[in-house]
């Protein structure tokens, strides 16, 4: 270490025939060396000749450095931080940090977002149909698909009850919003509730949960490709509504599905009926306007919406630079599962899709209205500490998230069949890699 200190002071390194010091700064000198240098006054720190005098035996005058290189405490803590360890706080601590007004639901404000989004959807369709230009259609598809996604998020708030305190208003608004984009409102609402109640649990989570290794290896090759090879996973949502995820049975349209309790069957029938009415309306419009015009006005934007939904939902639970834990058994808790979710920055899209990127606080407290989520997240950050992962800043469009998506699809394939705290593992054969 003496050679390092001396080189920092501007003095040439030790000659090779001197023995190197040990790793310990406080080690005693060898008993064969007589360290009795003459007492000489120290030169000025600003002297060009350096701190130590240039004498023939200058190397033997060096003992313990004036300062030692120590690891900063924050880096030490970062190395020791275990994201799978129980947090030193509880839900009540987070709740207490969030301002009281963040819990207040304003139905008029919620309805204003519905009016705004529906007006934009109708306006975009009218403009696109009027000009009917192939130069404008791609812009329309992206914009309208994004607005369909915004409608879904407002219906999502209805499903959580964060839209208003009136269950009837939530149900009516939710059915109108979700049926218009071919989502069965109650069927989705109930399965999404299951997702929130079991987030981060390997077996009990509902959407984009990991597959145990034994189940993954039983999947047909085509199923593995459709689940993990882009772009197929980004088109999964309609198929999930009909058949759920691998390893789970039932349908969001079937009131007899094991997704639902007996008392919820009437709700499911109502939503399936609304979905059927919308599908019939689209068929009639297809005859009136022609299949090509319907393809351009509705079908392509619908699939853009599906890609937004799968893209956002997946990245809220996957794709972080560090592996995040999934839980089983006694290690799982509502708080620990919720802390594995991720916030994401979507640039200009944040306001359009109602700040759904503030996902951590939403998962822990889904009753908070979307227009208070940003403030609630900022208030909770000091409590969450390192359990909150600050999202990377986005440009106008969240193109930076494509890299996170691609990397995760290549690395996050299954988890171990055993263990109560597990992390994703990769199947090298799926991506054509050699072990």
């Amino acid at each position: 270490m003496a050679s390092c200190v001396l080189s920092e002071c501007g003095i040439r390194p030790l000659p090779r025939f001197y023995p190197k010091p040990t790793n310990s700064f406080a080690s005693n000198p060898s008993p064969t060396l007589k360290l009795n240098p003459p007492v000489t006054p120290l030169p000025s720190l600003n002297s060009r000749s350096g701190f130590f005098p240039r004498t023939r035996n200058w190397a033997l005058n060096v003992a313990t450095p004036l300062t030692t290189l120590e690891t900063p405490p924050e880096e030490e803590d970062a190395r020791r931080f275990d994201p799978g360890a129980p947090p030193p706080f509880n839900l009540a601590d987070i709740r207490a940090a969030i301002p009281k007004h963040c819990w207040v639901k304003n139905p008029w404000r919620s309805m204003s977002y519905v009016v705004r989004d529906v007006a934009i959807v109708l306006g975009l369709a009218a403009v696109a149909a009027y000009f009917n230009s192939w130069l404008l259609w791609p812009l329309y598809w992206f914009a309208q698909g994004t607005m369909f996604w915004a409608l879904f998020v407002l219906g999502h708030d209805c499903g959580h009850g964060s839209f208003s305190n009136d269950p009837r208003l939530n149900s009516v608004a939710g059915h109108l919003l979700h049926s218009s984009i071919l989502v069965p409102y109650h069927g989705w609402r109930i399965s999404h509730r299951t997702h929130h109640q079991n987030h981060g649990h390997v077996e009990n989570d509902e959407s984009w949960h990991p597959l145990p290794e034994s189940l993954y290896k039983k999947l047909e090759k085509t199923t593995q490709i459709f689940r993990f090879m882009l772009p197929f996973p980004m088109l999964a949502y309609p198929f999930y509504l009909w058949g759920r995820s691998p390893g789970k049975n039932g349908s969001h349209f079937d009131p007899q599905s094991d997704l639902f309790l007996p008392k919820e069957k009437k709700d499911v029938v109502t939503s399936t009926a609304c979905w059927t009415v919308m599908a019939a309306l689209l068929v009639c419009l297809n005859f009136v306007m022609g299949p090509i015009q319907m393809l351009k006005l509705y079908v392509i934007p619908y699939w853009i919406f599906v890609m937004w939904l799968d893209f956002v939902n997946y990245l809220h639970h996957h794709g972080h630079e560090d592996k995040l834990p999934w839980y089983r058994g006694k290690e799982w808790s509502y708080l620990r599962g919720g802390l594995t979710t991720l916030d994401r920055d979507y640039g200009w899209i944040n306001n359009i899709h109602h700040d759904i990127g503030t996902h951590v606080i939403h998962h822990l407290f889904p009753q908070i209205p979307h227009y208070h989520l940003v403030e609630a997240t900022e208030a909770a950050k000091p409590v969450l500490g390192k359990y909150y992962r600050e999202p990377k800043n986005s440009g106008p469009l969240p193109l930076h998230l494509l890299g996170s998506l691609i990397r995760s699809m290549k690395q996050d394939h299954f988890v171990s069949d055993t263990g109560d705290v597990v992390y994703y593992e990769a199947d090298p054969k799926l991506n054509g890699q050699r072990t």
Side-chain angles (χ1 to χ4, degrees):
M1 189 64 195
S3 62
C4 295
V5 175
L6 289 174
S7 62
E8 290 174 1
C9 296
I11 300 176
R12 60 188 174 86
L14 293 172
R16 291 187 178 180
F17 52 81
Y18 288 104
K20 290 186 177 181
T22 62
N23 292 330
S24 173
F25 287 126
S27 59
N28 294 325
S30 171
T32 61
L33 297 177
K34 304 289 186 179
L35 298 180
N36 295 312
V39 179
T40 58
L42 294 174
S44 170
L45 287 173
N46 295 325
S47 171
R48 291 186 178 183
S49 62
F51 188 83
F52 297 100
R54 291 179 177 271
T55 58
R56 185 175 182 180
N57 63 340
W58 58 270
L60 297 180
N61 290 335
V62 178
T64 304
L66 295 178
T67 60
T68 59
L69 301 176
E70 298 181 354
T71 304
E74 58 271 14
E75 293 184 12
E76 188 81 16
D77 292 342
R79 283 205 297 266
R80 293 177 180 176
F81 175 66
D82 178 10
F89 51 83
N90 55 38
L91 277 174
D93 297 328
I94 307 173
R95 181 188 292 271
I98 298 174
K100 291 183 179 180
H101 67 267
C102 290
W103 305 87
V104 178
K105 308 165 191 176
N106 185 338
W108 293 105
R109 185 171 181 179
S110 297
M111 283 302 301
S112 71
Y113 289 110
V114 174
V115 173
R116 182 196 75 175
D117 289 359
V118 171
I120 293 174
V121 167
L122 296 177
L124 287 172
V127 170
Y130 177 80
F131 287 101
N132 196 21
S133 169
W134 285 105
L135 294 176
L136 296 179
W137 281 118
L139 295 177
Y140 166 78
W141 295 332
F142 177 80
Q144 191 72 298
T146 303
M147 289 311 303
F148 282 10
W149 164 234
L151 295 180
F152 176 89
V153 175
L154 291 177
H156 161 271
D157 286 0
C158 295
H160 281 300
S162 61
F163 190 86
S164 76
N165 287 321
D166 186 345
R168 290 172 297 180
L169 176 60
N170 294 337
S171 181
V172 171
H175 274 96
L176 291 174
L177 291 164
H178 275 192
S179 297
S180 68
I181 50 176
L182 295 178
V183 175
Y185 172 70
H186 279 310
W188 163 86
R189 176 185 62 82
I190 295 167
S191 74
H192 191 65
R193 179 192 64 197
T194 303
H195 165 55
H196 270 259
Q197 291 175 342
N198 298 277
H199 47 209
H201 195 290
V202 174
E203 283 82 20
N204 297 340
D205 202 344
E206 176 61 28
S207 59
W208 287 117
H209 60 89
L211 301 178
E213 184 175 7
S214 57
L215 175 59
Y216 172 84
K217 291 182 176 180
K218 292 178 182 178
L219 297 179
E220 297 180 359
K221 189 66 176 181
T222 53
T223 304
Q224 293 180 357
I225 291 174
F226 278 115
R227 184 174 173 88
F228 298 104
M229 301 291 284
L230 293 170
F232 302 115
M234 298 298 100
L235 305 173
Y237 187 65
F239 304 98
Y240 161 74
L241 290 177
W242 284 100
R244 299 178 73 188
S245 302
K248 295 182 182 292
N249 299 316
S251 168
H252 290 75
F253 300 92
D254 181 8
Q256 305 300 325
S257 171
D258 58 7
L259 267 170
F260 313 120
L261 300 174
K263 65 179 181 180
E264 296 169 334
K265 291 182 179 180
K266 290 183 179 180
D267 290 338
V268 177
V269 170
T270 300
S271 295
T272 301
C274 291
W275 183 95
T276 304
V277 170
M278 182 61 192
L281 176 61
L282 292 174
V283 171
C284 292
L285 290 174
N286 184 71
F287 286 106
V288 173
M289 304 176 67
I292 300 299
Q293 193 72 347
M294 279 301 297
L295 177 72
K296 293 186 292 185
L297 282 173
Y298 187 90
V299 177
I300 295 179
Y302 169 80
W303 284 105
I304 299 295
F305 145 65
V306 167
M307 286 190 282
W308 266 118
L309 188 151
D310 284 317
F311 178 73
V312 171
N313 280 342
Y314 183 86
L315 287 177
H316 282 163
H317 301 275
H318 301 78
H320 194 262
E321 289 77 5
D322 301 321
K323 292 286 187 181
L324 298 180
W326 288 79
Y327 301 102
R328 292 188 180 99
K330 295 182 179 179
E331 290 293 336
W332 181 87
S333 70
Y334 180 84
L335 175 59
R336 293 175 73 181
L339 292 176
T340 65
T341 61
L342 297 166
D343 279 10
R344 298 291 190 179
D345 183 11
Y346 298 94
W348 288 348
I349 310 298
N350 285 333
N351 180 262
I352 296 173
H353 69 187
H354 308 293
D355 291 314
I356 194 64
T358 49
H359 207 65
V360 177
I361 290 301
H362 164 68
H363 247 270
L364 294 174
F365 305 107
Q367 63 270 39
I368 296 179
H370 76 262
Y371 41 84
H372 291 317
L373 282 174
V374 172
E375 182 182 0
T377 297
E378 291 298 322
K381 282 182 185 180
V383 178
L384 298 175
K386 295 184 185 303
Y387 287 88
Y388 179 80
R389 292 123 191 134
E390 196 74 39
K392 290 184 178 180
N393 292 331
S394 174
L397 296 176
L399 300 178
H400 68 292
L401 293 177
L402 293 175
S404 300
L405 175 67
I406 294 171
R407 182 180 63 252
S408 179
M409 286 291 173
K410 290 182 178 180
Q411 297 177 354
D412 301 337
H413 297 150
F414 58 83
V415 296
S416 173
D417 291 327
T418 60
D420 288 347
V421 181
V422 293
Y423 295 81
Y424 265 113
E425 301 176 34
D427 177 8
K429 296 180 181 179
L430 184 63
N431 297 310
Q433 302 173 7
R434 295 182 178 179
T435 56

